[in-house]
Amino acid sequence: MAKIITVTSGKGGVGKTTSAASLGAGLAKAGKKTVVIDFDVGLRNLDLVMGCERRVVFDFVNVIQDDIRVQQALIKDKRLDNLFILPASQTRDKDALDRDGVGRVLDELKQDFDYIVCDSPAGIEKGALMALYFADEAIVVANPEVSSVRDSDRIIGILNSRSKRAEEGREPVKQHLLLTRYDPDRVEQGDMLKTDDVLEILAIPLLGVIPQDKIVLTASNVGTPVVLEDSSIAGQAYQDAVQRLLGHDVPMRFIEPRKTNWFSRLLRRSA
Amino acid sequence: MRLFEYFLGNRPRTADAAKDRLKLIVVRDRAATGEGPDFLPMLQKDLIEVVRRYVDIDDDKVQVDVDRKDNLSMLEVNIELPGRFGPNS
Ligand SMILES: Nc1ncnc2c1ncn2[C@@H]1O[C@H](COP(=O)(O)OP(=O)(O)OP(=O)(O)O)[C@@H](O)[C@H]1O
Ligand SMILES: [Mg+2]
């Protein structure tokens, strides 16, 4: 039976899709049969970030409304045998997903997969609520920045009160914090919230810290999940996060400023 | 100018302001929505820290509680100090 993991944030543009793609690909690479589902109906992007946009025939909404079987809509990744993508519809709106329909599709996928990773849309409206409703675990993606942390706090509250688990009084959704776009230099300068500051406010366990890295843009240009870029720091940070998700104890990396000589440090500080 | 401040060591650390502002607003949001974890543990931790600047106390000597009535809430704080304090001691 698959575990359902929702990647959510409240605030938009913090790195949910980037993270869902990388965690999904990382889990698949670790041998887990994984499907990543795009819940961002009307603004689908997961297909682009994962590099399968030209192979989309049917989508999530077709499966729920149009009698298309879920197997017909699943796209198998070209790089990893264990990885599948269920794209969102680009032409419908967020109301196209109804709770019973989504529940049915998830139940079916649960039989076949080890992990179901749900890429949530931004906001706290219907689409985001739908993406988190069925979650067993949630990855709250935040940037070290005031509005993102505040919105994360809201989404944590919503996970605690509006998920299926909360409604049924079962064990609460297990939550993880994924801090992305972290810039150790700016943290050291005192201009960016540090990991501990964010943890103190949000008070959920830390899954990982993903540094700000140019590779994220270039990887998205060609449709490669960042986690597969082995030599990049963001890629390695995502690999570590996957290991932690699988229950392994891995130390945090890339949270200290990179060592440079005093002169370039000085230049950077005064920039 | 920034370089100057850097050497003087008084460049403002804006991250501290961010953290302080966040702490306040998050507590208000939580109270307004009725969602999310309680702020009491955070308050308790802060209180312990403040009291410790003056008196050496254990973690469990600070109790905080909210007493909710119809449209008013009372914050109850109980801090137990070791020994007897004050001018008559
Ligand atoms: N670690 C990182 N370093 C640099 N850029 C990043 C990083 N993570 C994400 N980005 C960039 O941030 C932007 C938003 O990322 P992404 O689309 O994953 O966010 P999102 O939360 O899914 O957005 P939305 O709320 O619109 O769905 C993208 O341009 C992405 O390349
Ligand atoms: Mg997205």
Side-chain angles (χ1 to χ4, degrees):
Chain A
M1 275 294 256
K3 207 178 253 179
I4 302 178
I5 303 183
T6 296
V7 181
T8 183
S9 70
K11 188 169 155 67
V14 295
K16 290 179 296 296
T17 301
T18 305
S19 299
S22 273
L23 296 172
L27 287 166
K29 209 175 170 191
K32 306 290 179 190
K33 195 169 176 197
T34 305
V35 54
V36 189
I37 306 181
D38 192 348
F39 273 78
D40 208 344
V41 177
L43 289 170
R44 101 172 157 221
N45 277 322
L46 185 72
D47 54 342
L48 271 176
V49 172
M50 299 191 75
C52 64
E53 71 281 0
R54 287 164 58 182
R55 294 194 288 140
V56 175
V57 181
F58 298 115
D59 59 55
F60 198 13
V61 176
N62 294 140
V63 177
I64 288 172
Q65 296 192 346
D66 308 331
D67 265 355
I68 300 293
R69 285 176 42 243
V70 67
Q71 280 76 11
Q72 291 175 273
L74 286 178
I75 304 171
K76 189 173 178 313
D77 187 79
K78 288 221 159 117
R79 294 152 295 214
L80 296 163
D81 277 345
N82 282 324
L83 184 60
F84 293 79
I85 295 111
L86 181 55
S89 165
Q90 183 69 330
T91 49
R92 317 264 189 118
D93 61 61
K94 299 215 160 33
D95 294 332
L97 299 178
D98 72 286
R99 197 174 268 180
D100 291 345
V102 172
R104 261 197 327 272
V105 176
L106 290 176
D107 276 342
E108 196 179 338
L109 290 171
K110 265 185 159 182
Q111 311 301 319
D112 258 16
F113 286 89
D114 298 316
Y115 283 93
I116 300 174
V117 177
C118 305
D119 179 23
S120 173
I124 51 172
E125 285 84 42
K126 201 173 169 201
L129 295 180
M130 190 67 77
L132 66 78
Y133 184 71
F134 294 97
D136 297 310
E137 300 192 17
I139 293 171
V140 178
V141 179
N143 296 160
E145 174 263 319
V146 285
S147 14
S148 171
V149 175
R150 180 193 200 173
D151 292 358
S152 297
D153 193 71
R154 284 280 340 250
I155 214 80
I156 290 170
I158 290 169
L159 281 163
N160 287 332
S161 57
R162 318 256 303 257
S163 64
K164 187 159 189 271
R165 281 175 172 263
E167 276 183 16
E168 291 173 353
R170 283 190 293 149
E171 205 183 313
V173 178
K174 186 171 172 195
Q175 299 170 15
H176 313 266
L177 176 67
L178 187 63
L179 200 54
T180 64
R181 313 202 70 164
Y182 195 76
D183 185 336
D185 290 320
R186 302 209 71 185
V187 170
E188 197 188 53
Q189 290 162 28
D191 278 340
M192 184 179 268
L193 289 162
K194 57 176 182 291
T195 308
D196 284 345
D197 294 342
V198 181
L199 282 174
E200 189 180 328
I201 289 159
L202 297 179
I204 60 173
L206 183 65
L207 180 71
V209 179
I210 312 296
Q212 175 75 17
D213 190 346
K214 294 195 169 107
I215 194 79
V216 177
L217 177 64
T218 52
S220 75
N221 285 341
V222 294
T224 306
V226 181
V227 74
L228 301 180
E229 301 282 1
D230 287 326
S231 56
S232 71
I233 57 172
Q236 291 170 30
Y238 273 119
Q239 289 169 7
D240 290 353
V242 169
Q243 288 306 308
R244 292 187 200 104
L245 204 52
L246 292 169
H248 304 296
D249 198 6
V250 185
M252 294 287 163
R253 294 191 278 171
F254 319 116
I255 52 176
E256 301 296 333
R258 265 174 284 179
K259 288 199 180 58
T260 42
N261 61 44
W262 67 271
F263 184 68
S264 60
R265 227 194 354 263
L266 195 64
L267 279 182
R268 239 185 306 149
R269 282 207 188 197
S270 50
Chain B
M1 186 59 201
R2 283 266 178 88
L3 195 62
F4 192 58
E5 281 175 355
Y6 172 70
F7 279 120
L8 286 178
N10 64 352
R11 189 159 178 267
R13 296 176 60 87
T14 58
D16 297 339
K19 184 182 176 186
D20 292 342
R21 291 174 60 225
L22 265 171
K23 273 189 164 176
L24 281 176
I25 197 63
V26 155
V27 167
R28 276 178 50 177
D29 287 352
R30 286 176 193 172
T33 58
E35 280 167 348
D38 226 335
F39 68 89
L40 293 184
M42 248 164 44
L43 175 63
Q44 186 175 25
K45 197 170 149 271
D46 284 351
L47 282 172
I48 294 170
E49 238 168 65
V50 173
V51 175
R52 278 221 185 109
R53 283 189 215 147
Y54 305 91
V55 193
D56 188 24
I57 52 161
D58 288 336
D59 282 5
D60 59 353
K61 298 298 187 227
V62 174
Q63 300 294 338
V64 291
D65 231 323
V66 173
D67 196 5
R68 291 193 175 86
K69 302 240 164 66
D70 298 324
N71 52 14
L72 142 141
S73 305
M74 291 252 287
L75 179 67
E76 293 178 359
V77 180
N78 258 299
I79 305 176
E80 193 188 316
L81 301 178
R84 239 196 93 181
F85 269 78
N88 322 335
S89 61

